[in-house]
Amino acid sequence: MIVTGFGMAVVIGAAVLALPIATESGESAGLLAALFTATSAVCVTGLVVVDTPTHWSMVGESVIAGLIQVGGLGIMTLATLFTVLVAGRLGLRARIFAQAETKTLSMADVRHVVRRVVVFSLLCEAVTAVILTGRFLLGYGEPWGRAVYLGVFHAISAFNNAGFALWPDSVMRFVADPWICLTIAAAVIVGGLGFPVVFELLRGWRRPRRWSVLTRITVGVTAVLLAAGTLVFLAAEWHNPKTLGTLDDSGKLLAAFFAAVMARTAGFNSVDIAGMDPTSWLATDLLMFIGGGSAGTAGGIKVTTFGLLAFVIWAEMRGEREVNVGHRRLPEPAQRQALAISLISVALVALSTYLLLALTSHSLDRVLFEVVSAFATVGLSTGITADLPPAGHLLLVMLMFIGRIGPLTLGTALALKDRARRYQLPEERVIVG
């Protein structure tokens, strides 16, 4: 159902974007460009094959914003909300679908959770839109209508971790503007934490000792990755005239922090990605692949998966049979699920990189960056997206679609497929390493 829902959203979005009214020129964008853009919007990625502000009309941009909203909240969440509004109650089947999409830990309060998800999302987008609108209006002299339009569009794009921007250079013109950059970064972080974590933080942010394992891992790993990413970008790009070299010290810190946040599946860029040092590309690859929190608008394998595997490695290095986080023990099925999702994702990225290398003449570092960005639904690019052949665009479409629904459906399937054997086979040790 989740796959079908997202697929239908992509098809409908592509059909509308293929209409002449969706482009500035009044001519059809073509099926491939419409399909790529619709997939990128529904999967909240941000990769584009045509320039968003110059190619698409206001109708097309509005359709893109709507697709981002649908993809961010989740097809099943929206369907459940409509069911609640129309019927006033939920059946078991609808509750199960809503639970799969929102990662609710209990089915008893799914209806309440879905309502809170939608209300919280719209509230965050509204606050972000108000701040951005005020800045565009007062700081840059944009007309009232244009300022509101820019504020609302980028609020939706930021909170849903989409990365679509209405300027050809993304947000590079605002690289030293903390009002724009920090507002967008805050929306990205909140949207990428995941709804269960956000709700728990709202209830008990003053009592971290009572946080669940999910919240502890998500918040802890997110903080570490943001700090590490900022330091890496500062070290690698400090003297680079194409990125941070021309900024003052505060501007460099702001730009590096913004780059670290956006690499976690948002897709906005305030500096030229193509001008970055290859070491920064590699660091961005790692941040993109890990992604954000579970049940949020971010992509990647998720910080919970990464953090869980880190605890597994730590326990193994200490010779402990059980994996503990704080005062809780992690169940073995969760450890196996994290390992399965990670290895399958690595295999998919490796295979896609090989295929894209065979289809193009671009270097490995640029192709790997593009593949990871598509799979992790980030949207950052070194500038080769539009130059890829049609087969390469279709490969990225597949990666964006799998990257959006793959970890969700795979994780759910693995969790539901857990079954116990009534017998055990004889044990035999093997050499590892």
Side-chain angles (χ1 to χ4, degrees), residues 29 44 324 334 341 385 410 413:
V44 291
N324 302 318
I341 291 175
T385 309
L410 178 60

Side-chain angles (χ1 to χ4, degrees), residues 24-208:
E24 287 282 7
S25 63
E27 299 179 358
S28 175
L31 184 58
L32 183 57
L35 176 63
F36 191 97
T37 305
T39 305
S40 183
V42 172
C43 299
V44 291
T45 305
L47 287 176
V48 294
V49 292
V50 294
D51 186 46
T52 302
T54 59
H55 185 84
W56 302 109
S57 64
M58 184 174 290
V59 173
E61 293 169 357
S62 300
V63 171
I64 291 173
L67 294 175
I68 293 172
Q69 189 72 281
V70 169
L73 287 176
I75 299 297
M76 291 301 103
T77 304
L78 288 177
T80 303
L81 174 64
F82 293 148
T83 303
V84 172
L85 295 177
V86 174
R89 59 187 179 86
L90 280 175
L92 178 61
R93 186 179 181 84
R95 284 174 182 263
I96 293 175
F97 290 151
Q99 184 190 30
E101 180 63 23
T102 61
K103 290 293 193 304
T104 311
L105 299 182
S106 172
M107 287 197 301
D109 57 347
V110 169
R111 180 169 60 183
H112 178 60
V113 169
V114 171
R115 284 176 174 172
R116 293 176 64 190
V117 166
V118 175
V119 171
F120 178 78
S121 300
L122 296 179
L123 180 61
C124 288
E125 291 174 357
V127 172
T128 305
V130 169
I131 297 175
L132 293 179
T133 298
R135 185 57 179 167
F136 293 139
L137 185 66
L138 302 177
Y140 297 93
E142 293 283 356
W144 175 257
R146 177 66 177 172
V148 172
Y149 180 70
L150 291 174
V152 171
F153 184 94
H154 292 94
I156 294 174
S157 184
F159 180 78
N160 292 290
N161 283 217
F164 279 88
L166 295 182
W167 299 280
D169 59 354
S170 189
V171 293
M172 289 175 58
R173 62 189 65 192
F174 308 114
V175 62
D177 189 336
W179 282 98
I180 301 295
C181 291
L182 292 181
T183 300
I184 291 178
V188 167
I189 293 173
V190 173
L193 281 176
F195 297 120
V197 173
V198 170
F199 291 159
E200 184 172 351
L201 290 177
L202 290 176
R203 290 194 306 267
W205 64 275
R206 295 182 179 179
R207 301 183 297 274

Side-chain angles (χ1 to χ4, degrees), residues 332-349:
E332 290 187 4
Q335 301 172 34
R336 295 196 300 268
Q337 293 161 22
L339 182 62
I341 291 175
S342 300
L343 291 182
I344 292 174
S345 299
V346 169
L348 180 62
V349 168

Side-chain angles (χ1 to χ4, degrees), residues 175 230 233-234 237-240 243-258:
V175 62
T230 301
F233 288 131
L234 282 175
E237 306 294 333
W238 187 271
H239 298 292
N240 188 347
T243 54
L244 305 185
T246 59
L247 303 174
D248 57 22
D249 290 352
S250 60
K252 290 178 180 178
L253 180 60
L254 176 62
F257 174 73
F258 190 83

